[in-house]
Amino acid sequence: MMILLAITLTCHRSAEAAFTWFLSITAVSGFISWSGIAFVQLRFRRAYVRQGRSIEELPFVAFGYPYTGIFAVVLTILIILGQGMHSFIA
């Protein structure tokens, strides 16, 4: 699949355009992963507290919870949208 995409991009455009596409795809997929990680961390801790447990019982206490998790989700979504802005405008 990736080879077919590379051949198609290289034939219709330049190798530089193909490289830019692959670079953008890998960057956006990484930010999607980090956004999911931050979101799941927020949901896990909220569910943990709603079950009547204390956050202090967890072996790892997240610094700045819940603000750092919310900040991470918002920032990664903004970066994802910013990465594809030229696709949305054109």
Side-chain angles (χ1 to χ4, degrees):
M1 174 84 175
M2 297 301 279
I3 294 172
L4 182 62
L5 181 61
I7 291 170
T8 305
L9 282 173
T10 307
C11 289
H12 291 287
R13 297 188 183 197
S14 65
E16 181 182 348
F19 177 74
T20 303
W21 269 83
F22 285 123
L23 187 65
S24 296
I25 289 169
T26 56
V28 168
S29 65
F31 283 116
I32 290 171
S33 298
W34 279 110
S35 178
I37 289 168
F39 180 74
V40 167
Q41 186 253 0
L42 287 170
R43 297 290 296 168
F44 167 75
R45 290 180 182 264
R46 181 182 294 170
Y48 196 80
V49 169
R50 286 193 177 168
Q51 290 177 2
R53 298 179 176 174
S54 174
I55 293 292
E56 288 78 29
E57 295 174 11
L58 294 173
F60 177 75
V61 179
F63 173 75
Y65 171 79
Y67 305 110
T68 53
I70 294 169
F71 177 74
V73 170
V74 170
L75 185 64
T76 54
I77 289 173
L78 288 175
I79 290 172
I80 291 167
L81 293 175
Q83 284 275 344
M85 186 59 71
H86 63 278
S87 298
F88 298 136
I89 293 174

